[in-house]
Amino acid sequence: MRLMIARCSIDYSGRLTTHLAEATRLLMTKADGTFMVWSDHGGSSVKPLNWMTPPTVIEELPAVDDQPPRLVVRKHAGSSVDRLEIALHEVLSDVTHEMAPPHPTDGDTLAKDGVEAHLQELLAEQPHWCGEGFRLVRREWPTDIGPVDLMCRDADDEWVAVEIKRVATIESVEQITRYLERLRTDAQFASCRGVLAAQSIKPQARVLAESRGIACVEVELAVLRGEREPELRLFAG
């Protein structure tokens, strides 16, 4: 992991255009290509000001005439390209650390809490709760950025990736979006769709997921365990 503290100004172009005036910020580059910009001032203390998920291309450009050296981070997003251009007015610190896992067999994926693990087990046994006609192909389907909780086929024999959470947030949507992006680079998964299954789905997460074509399903442990019947709902015509 590379950690650079620098006085910098930043321009983003892509789905929209933004500018961050010159200030001291932390620029973080992970080995997998993730790039993040952090600040001590303004915004959320737990969310970067700018970020790009892998795969990214990162270029270091030297100073030219009166222009300072720059970092340029690019990522293809569908038919467009997201671009961060960072002007480095003064580099205060630039260090790189090897962030190896504690043991070769451990990896860096956080273990699911008890509820999520139990939800995954139950939904693997009863995938129809994630969608009508779903059948399980494999749990923990591997990708190069982490495992998909459940890989299923639907009634039309199409691939479906299912991400399972106790409480689904915007970050949960970003996670399954990253998985779908990686899966769809393989021709056999080009039409793979996503389902976000959780006990509770935050309203903002539902809006974001549905805008990206990702289905949302709320499930209850008691129903999955067979301890009670699902609630009957009446719909007016």
Side-chain angles (χ1 to χ4, degrees), residues 26-83:
L26 169 64
L27 310 176
M28 179 184 294
T29 308
K30 294 176 62 177
D32 64 0
T34 300
F35 186 86
M36 292 175 281
V37 179
W38 297 90
S39 173
D40 266 347
H41 308 287
S44 169
S45 61
V46 296
K47 188 174 182 180
L49 295 173
N50 293 103
W51 70 95
M52 283 192 190
T53 55
T56 58
V57 175
I58 302 175
E59 296 179 276
E60 297 189 51
L61 304 179
V64 177
D65 298 328
D66 59 345
Q67 297 296 315
R70 291 169 294 153
L71 284 177
V72 178
V73 186
R74 301 194 314 275
K75 175 180 177 174
H76 285 277
S79 59
S80 63
V81 176
D82 289 342
R83 176 187 173 98

Side-chain angles (χ1 to χ4, degrees), residues 84-158:
L84 272 177
E85 184 164 331
I86 300 128
L88 301 171
H89 302 286
E90 181 183 7
V91 176
L92 305 175
S93 174
D94 187 358
V95 295
T96 300
H97 298 281
E98 183 67 31
M99 303 290 284
H103 188 277
T105 61
D106 286 347
D108 286 328
T109 303
L110 290 174
K112 288 182 175 291
D113 67 27
V115 173
E116 284 187 19
H118 200 188
L119 279 172
Q120 186 184 119
E121 292 173 6
L122 291 167
L123 288 172
E125 295 168 358
Q126 308 167 77
H128 63 276
W129 287 110
C130 300
E132 187 175 354
F134 281 19
R135 64 184 189 280
L136 179 69
V137 176
R138 178 173 171 174
R139 289 176 60 184
E140 301 289 339
W141 184 283
T143 77
D144 55 3
I145 58 171
V148 177
D149 288 336
L150 305 180
M151 278 295 283
C152 300
R153 295 266 200 175
D154 63 16
D156 297 320
D157 211 34
E158 295 290 334

Side-chain angles (χ1 to χ4, degrees), residues 159-170:
W159 287 102
V160 186
V162 180
E163 181 63 24
I164 299 167
K165 298 294 183 185
R166 183 175 62 83
V167 178
T169 63
I170 285 178

